[in-house]
Amino acid sequence: MKRASAGPLFLGGAAMLLGAPAYLALLRFARPPAWLMDRPWPLATFALATLLVCVLGLLRGRAGRRRGLAAIAALGTAASLAGLYFVSRRGMPEASPEVALGRTLPDVTLTDETGRGVALSSLRGHATVLVFYRGALCVACRAQLVALAERADPFIAAGVRVFGVSADPPNLSLEWKKTLSLPFSLLTDDHQGLAQSLCNARAHCLVLVDPDGVVRWGALNDYWRGAEPAEAVLLAAYRLAASPGAVRGS
């Protein structure tokens, strides 16, 4: 009995793990492509196929215990797949009231860390993450930028634009970008006019901008307000490329 059931039981456990647990493990330990984070259908397909093999293996026997194990495997996999849907489709929380939702980016040009001008109008056609931070001496800002840097590559490859924005001069931004190994540019907003326009002059704020240049979500990230996980922010930006309504609170 034990030997005959070992294979199907192993497959039943694998089917359960291929749902929400596998998705969460990918988020934590790997850098999956953006499309897989958005639509993890391969995990669901493999889970269902594995479950089918498991159930067929268990039902081949006449013992009632095997049928009970098949039912447990089916219920466990169903719960895992429901969890997969929930964690992969969850949206962002409500935007901070200080953020100017619906406002179009002003037609201004900022300077990146190399001294090159970056016109905000050039961001049209891409979903964009703008991270306003206080400057190089801000420990919380450093942690937020590093967290985004660790997760950003698959989303940048998929077309999402990411920029840090502060009042720091370009030479200091260049030094900080090299030190933190950031895969995105740091822009200089000399008088924090952009922060004033989009975040009510708050120097530690993050906003998501759709491909039309319209602010669709944003949040303040003060010391007393925790920042959203980097992968959630980047995934929300990725979804903006297809649908501005994909971000809750917009």
Side-chain angles (χ1 to χ4, degrees):
M1 173 66 180
K2 292 183 178 179
R3 290 182 179 179
S5 300
L9 286 178
F10 174 81
L11 290 174
M16 296 181 204
L17 292 175
L18 281 170
Y23 183 83
L24 293 173
L26 283 174
L27 293 186
R28 177 65 179 84
F29 300 109
R31 301 293 179 269
W35 66 264
L36 181 58
M37 289 184 63
D38 184 34
R39 302 285 182 182
W41 60 265
L43 295 179
T45 301
F46 293 149
L48 289 173
T50 304
L51 175 64
L52 178 61
V53 175
C54 161
V55 171
L56 290 176
L58 289 171
L59 291 182
R60 281 187 302 179
R62 291 177 296 176
R65 181 180 178 185
R66 291 189 177 187
R67 295 181 183 275
L69 292 173
I72 291 173
L75 289 174
T77 303
S80 181
L81 290 174
L84 173 63
Y85 179 83
F86 173 77
V87 298
S88 64
R89 302 313 302 170
R90 60 186 174 187
M92 301 295 283
E94 292 297 323
S96 298
E98 297 89 346
V99 175
L101 296 183
R103 180 167 297 177
T104 301
L105 290 181
D107 188 13
V108 299
T109 298
L110 304 181
T111 305
D112 71 9
E113 70 281 352
T114 67
R116 180 179 63 91
V118 177
L120 296 187
S121 59
S122 69
L123 306 183
R124 299 289 180 88
H126 298 272
T128 303
V129 180
L130 294 177
V131 186
F132 296 91
Y133 63 98
R134 294 186 178 92
L137 298 179
C138 173
V139 177
C141 307
R142 176 189 294 261
Q144 185 180 24
L145 289 175
V146 168
L148 282 168
E150 290 175 347
R151 301 288 183 175
D153 284 341
F155 295 93
I156 292 175
V160 174
R161 307 290 296 275
V162 183
F163 294 94
V165 186
S166 76
D168 285 346
N171 61 324
L172 183 56
S173 295
L174 179 59
E175 180 181 348
W176 209 28
K177 178 179 178 178
K178 291 179 178 178
T179 300
L180 301 181
S181 299
L182 302 179
F184 47 81
S185 291
L186 301 178
L187 305 179
T188 297
D189 183 17
D190 290 317
H191 305 292
Q192 297 188 326
L194 190 59
Q196 172 70 48
S197 173
L198 303 183
C199 299
N200 196 22
R202 304 303 177 95
H204 200 180
C205 172
L206 182 148
V207 300
L208 301 182
V209 183
D210 72 15
D212 292 327
V214 178
V215 175
R216 294 299 181 181
W217 185 85
L220 302 188
N221 298 318
D222 302 27
Y223 290 109
W224 54 277
R225 275 187 268 201
E228 287 298 307
E231 61 270 18
V233 169
L234 292 163
L235 182 56
Y238 174 77
R239 287 172 175 163
L240 274 179
S243 173
V247 179
R248 185 183 302 164
S250 60

